[in-house]
Amino acid sequence: MISVCVDDFVIYRSHSQGIFVTDRSPFLRLKEERKRLKLTQAAAGAVAGVTRETWSRYEAGAVAPGMEALEAFALAGADVQYVLTGLRGSLPPSTRERLFL
């Protein structure tokens, strides 16, 4: 079972492993990544192949995005590792970095 606390911390309950808390909700990190890419919910939904309403439900935590939506979002430049785990992955080099290399 998953519960979201007031301060955007998520509590996961497992019968076999007890209770543990993560720092932020993956749904909030999804929104954070969308904003980092300067996408509206409609644009992010279009990238992922879903409607704006469905994307809004992803960010609200009402529905979890599927693998296809996450893959499309990653291809658009999102750090899906960060969305899922809270840990930043290695982002592809920027145009400036590629020119430097």
Side-chain angles (χ1 to χ4, degrees):
M1 179 167 95
I2 299 174
S3 308
V4 179
C5 296
V6 174
D7 292 329
D8 301 330
F9 288 84
V10 178
I11 298 173
Y12 293 91
R13 291 191 176 114
S14 168
H15 293 291
S16 61
Q17 297 175 347
I19 297 174
F20 61 96
V21 178
T22 63
D23 59 346
R24 300 225 14 177
S25 163
F27 308 111
L28 294 174
R29 291 191 298 264
L30 184 70
K31 180 178 183 178
E32 187 179 323
E33 275 299 286
R34 174 183 60 81
K35 287 185 173 189
R36 184 184 66 80
L37 295 172
K38 297 179 174 59
L39 295 173
T40 63
Q41 285 185 339
V47 162
V50 298
T51 65
R52 187 212 55 84
E53 291 81 10
T54 299
W55 190 268
S56 174
R57 293 173 66 205
Y58 291 164
E59 290 183 4
V63 177
M67 288 178 49
E68 294 84 5
L70 289 174
E71 179 182 18
F73 195 44
L75 291 173
D79 185 353
V80 175
Q81 177 179 334
Y82 172 68
V83 171
L84 296 174
T85 67
L87 302 172
R88 287 274 177 203
S90 57
L91 296 173
S94 67
T95 303
R96 184 176 176 199
E97 291 170 333
R98 279 181 283 176
L99 289 173
F100 179 75
L101 295 174

